[in-house]
Amino acid sequence: MDIQSPFTTATFIRPYGQLLTDIIDYPQKVQKLLDIVTDVNIEFLKMQDQIFNYPSPPGRNFPCVGQDLGICIADDAGLIPLSPAMYEDFSLPTIMTVAQHWHGVFLHCCGNYNHQVDNLLKIPNLRSIQMHTGPGEVDSLPAWRKIRGRVSLWSSTNIISLGDEYK
């Protein structure tokens, strides 16, 4: 139920390294692929809305933000490696399109994406972002300073992010 961003989904269709090369060599074709995947994501989420009576974590609700969040979008393939300019051109527009169809968006990524926070704040209906913080993980303070008072930050410090160090 955890919907991947259209960019991340595109990496399942086109091998990741080739997709990154295609951004440079064939940007219009990448845009077309992302538009198709975005339409499919929206259709899939609408089908979920028709079938499920209650939101279900992680894809349709997160326990930290109460009832009926809207949707969760995971964007591991785009947020971390893309530059802010490339993210703004290729991944952000697709997420913004998906976000316009729901009253709330929760964004998840397993890794350091502090360099993308300014881009994320452009997403309509963004309610929360999640970062895995802790030793060896992400320093969420730079993100918190930018988002404070605008959206919530779920700083996840669990057994996965902390490893055995603080068992």
Side-chain angles (χ1 to χ4, degrees):
M1 298 244 317
D2 194 7
I3 192 87
Q4 299 295 313
S5 72
F7 188 87
T8 299
T9 301
T11 67
F12 304 141
I13 298 168
R14 181 85 170 138
Y16 190 60
Q18 290 176 345
L19 183 65
L20 293 177
T21 303
D22 291 345
I23 286 174
I24 296 165
D25 295 338
Y26 309 105
Q28 292 86 5
K29 289 183 179 183
V30 172
Q31 292 287 358
K32 180 64 177 170
L33 174 62
L34 293 174
D35 289 344
I36 292 167
V37 174
T38 300
D39 291 343
V40 170
N41 276 359
I42 292 167
E43 185 177 335
F44 176 71
L45 289 165
K46 286 182 177 181
M47 287 172 59
Q48 283 184 341
D49 284 345
Q50 293 172 356
I51 294 169
F52 297 117
N53 292 326
Y54 301 102
S56 177
R60 297 311 296 261
N61 202 4
F62 262 77
C64 67
V65 292
Q67 295 297 316
D68 199 15
L69 160 81
I71 60 170
C72 176
I73 301 173
D75 194 21
D76 297 308
L79 276 171
I80 300 167
L82 295 180
S83 71
M86 289 177 87
Y87 190 83
E88 187 173 26
D89 288 343
F90 290 94
S91 193
L92 183 62
T94 65
I95 292 174
M96 291 174 75
T97 299
V98 173
Q100 291 172 358
H101 292 268
W102 283 270
H103 64 275
V105 174
F106 183 100
L107 195 114
H108 160 81
C109 179
C110 296
N112 189 345
Y113 57 95
N114 277 316
H115 61 291
Q116 301 291 8
V117 172
D118 290 331
N119 274 328
L120 299 180
L121 290 173
K122 298 173 187 174
I123 298 171
N125 308 319
L126 181 68
R127 289 188 178 180
S128 186
I129 63 174
Q130 177 196 15
M131 291 184 158
H132 293 292
T133 58
E137 291 283 346
V138 180
D139 177 4
S140 59
L141 184 58
W144 180 79
R145 286 184 172 143
K146 287 184 177 185
I147 69 170
R148 188 171 105 183
R150 297 169 78 179
V151 300
S152 70
L153 172 65
W154 182 17
S155 180
S156 174
T157 54
N158 54 43
I159 190 77
I160 297 169
S161 61
L162 295 177
D164 290 334
E165 191 168 348
Y166 292 95
K167 209 171 198 177

